Amino acid sequence: MELGIGMFGDLQINAKGEIQPAQQRLQEIIEEIKLMDEVGLDFYGIGEHHRPDYAVSSPEIILAAAATVTKNIKLSSAVSVLSSSDPVKLYQNFATIDLISNGRAELMAGRGSFIESFPLFGYNLQDYDELYEEKLELLLKINKEPKISWKGKFRPELVNQEVLPRAVNDNLKIWVAVGGTPESVERAGRLGLPVMFAIIGGQPTQFKPLFDYYKKVYQAYGHDMNKFEVGVHMHSLFSENSQKISDYYFPLYSAQMNRIGKTRGWAPFQRNQFEAGRNINGALIIGDANESVDKILAMEENFGLTRFSAHMDVGGPSHAAMMKSIEIFGNKITPEVRKALKQ
């Protein structure tokens, strides 16, 4: 099982509502990725957002910068909002990162957590499902065929067109992210694509039927089980002391949940919800190394994971807290998880 970190590029917001400058956060992110590589984590993913509380609107730029200061870590989007992107340009950008990084780039396609990119790039939300279906089809075709002819509804036709440059070995690793709908799971299994499940609330065991369904569909369409890959993305933050990290992180985490919740009709996020998420059956991996090892291993046992992604910057923890969390993940948690999985 691969172990790594995903981020959305959350900006730190203080009690007065003042937002951290994006320039500062972007420089911090590069330092954090460099440390991830140094402590031996397997992958890093960064999301795409077009909102004032996030620093990253173009994952490709961050990953290209990270490629120049890292040696081994895989570099991925988490996610690229495919519905409002041009698959041709998206492939070209990630193929370029793949060449710069000597084959370490990956692309994770998804619908995204928010909808700001649709009006920004001139798309109609009424076409939400059709856009994703068509653009995923085109992206996969580009990845398989250097010269393509293609016609769809939302993008100009391509006639015998070369898409350059090509990724290393002419194959870009493409994941899809799913939030829990059977339709998304079925599509991933049918296409034989590696899938990342976002488990960010409730009890993770509730997702077991979807994991089983994905595997069933994947096998039913005759895909090679030696290439079967499935991961989870879970809100995480690590510290030397479980109670201290809980006390530090709850105000930041709850503030972010409430900012998002105002637009989605959620009730105010409570401390008891936070603590329920932190217990062994919850979806938050926020605590010390021993607690975190146990929960990650439980996820692997329950779901047969090949990848675990710690979503580590929800609500904008300080750069110091992030660096400490990365250090603990790489130096304490990862060795114990790997050791347990070998037994």
Side-chain angles (χ1 to χ4, degrees):
M1 180 172 64
E2 294 181 314
L3 298 162
I5 292 173
M7 293 184 186
F8 280 2
D10 291 45
L11 291 163
Q12 294 149 29
I13 303 176
N14 66 21
K16 297 179 181 179
E18 296 168 337
I19 301 177
Q20 175 190 27
Q23 180 180 8
Q24 179 187 0
R25 183 66 196 124
L26 292 173
Q27 292 171 356
E28 291 174 352
I29 287 172
I30 298 302
E31 285 185 39
E32 291 161 7
I33 303 169
K34 188 172 185 291
L35 180 60
M36 293 175 209
D37 190 50
E38 290 168 353
V39 298
L41 294 178
D42 295 309
F43 69 91
Y44 170 76
I46 181 67
E48 173 192 344
H49 294 89
H50 304 272
R51 295 166 55 89
D53 45 346
Y54 296 102
V56 180
S57 62
S58 180
E60 301 94 309
I61 302 298
I62 299 297
L63 300 176
T68 67
V69 297
T70 57
K71 296 179 181 178
N72 299 305
I73 195 167
K74 295 178 181 178
L75 300 166
S76 176
S77 54
V79 301
S80 294
V81 184
L82 181 59
S83 306
S84 56
S85 300
D86 178 8
V88 174
K89 188 60 177 169
L90 200 61
Y91 175 86
Q92 290 177 319
N93 290 348
F94 277 86
T96 301
I97 300 167
D98 205 40
L99 298 175
I100 293 170
S101 66
N102 293 317
R104 292 187 283 131
E106 299 181 351
L107 193 162
M108 186 178 295
R111 301 171 186 269
S113 302
F114 302 97
I115 60 172
E116 286 84 1
S117 63
F118 284 81
L120 185 62
F121 297 114
Y123 291 100
N124 192 329
L125 274 171
Q126 293 181 343
D127 300 323
Y128 189 81
D129 292 321
E130 280 187 285
L131 279 165
Y132 186 78
E133 288 270 7
E134 178 176 298
K135 293 190 175 194
L136 182 60
E137 173 196 305
L138 176 55
L139 179 64
L140 296 177
K141 186 176 180 66
I142 292 168
N143 198 32
K144 289 179 181 178
E145 304 171 22
K147 187 173 287 189
I148 67 168
S149 294
W150 175 91
K151 188 174 183 179
K153 179 179 178 181
F154 299 102
R155 191 201 185 283
E157 182 179 2
L158 295 165
V159 180
N160 199 30
Q161 181 67 57
E162 263 190 303
V163 179
L164 299 169
R166 305 301 296 177
V168 174
N169 298 322
D170 203 19
N171 181 59
L172 179 66
K173 182 73 165 288
I174 297 175
W175 288 70
V176 292
V178 300
T181 63
E183 295 79 9
S184 296
V185 173
E186 189 278 335
R187 182 193 300 112
R190 171 168 42 87
L191 296 173
L193 295 172
V195 64
M196 181 66 72
F197 286 87
I199 301 181
I200 58 174
Q203 295 188 337
T205 52
Q206 296 169 327
F207 281 74
K208 187 67 164 63
L210 288 174
F211 281 82
D212 293 341
Y213 181 47
Y214 169 62
K215 187 174 183 178
K216 180 180 178 180
V217 174
Y218 187 96
Q219 290 176 310
Y221 278 86
H223 299 298
D224 184 357
M225 283 304 295
N226 291 321
K227 297 179 180 178
F228 181 82
E229 293 184 78
V230 61
V232 293
H233 156 108
M234 300 176 71
H235 292 173
S236 309
L237 196 67
F238 313 119
S239 176
E240 300 284 1
N241 183 286
S242 181
Q243 189 59 51
K244 285 184 178 179
I245 195 64
S246 176
D247 293 341
Y248 164 75
Y249 196 31
F250 172 72
L252 299 173
Y253 188 88
S254 61
Q256 176 70 331
M257 292 300 103
N258 291 334
R259 279 192 292 270
I260 297 170
K262 283 182 180 179
T263 65
R264 300 184 180 182
W266 299 349
F269 190 80
Q270 303 295 329
R271 183 67 182 256
N272 64 342
Q273 291 176 263
F274 186 71
E275 295 303 331
R278 292 204 317 126
N279 74 33
I280 190 62
N281 298 313
L284 302 179
I285 306 188
I286 298 166
D288 63 30
N290 291 334
E291 292 171 332
S292 302
V293 167
D294 289 344
K295 290 191 76 169
I296 292 169
L297 288 173
M299 295 303 109
E300 193 280 332
E301 183 177 356
N302 288 336
F303 302 128
L305 300 180
T306 64
R307 177 173 285 194
F308 170 79
S309 177
H311 182 183
M312 200 178 282
D313 65 346
V314 181
S318 70
H319 180 48
M322 290 290 294
M323 294 292 274
K324 185 63 177 178
S325 183
I326 293 163
E327 182 184 326
I328 291 171
F329 193 20
N331 292 335
K332 294 186 177 182
I333 296 171
T334 294
E336 290 301 315
V337 170
R338 289 173 177 164
K339 179 181 176 182
L341 293 176
K342 286 181 180 179
Q343 292 176 353

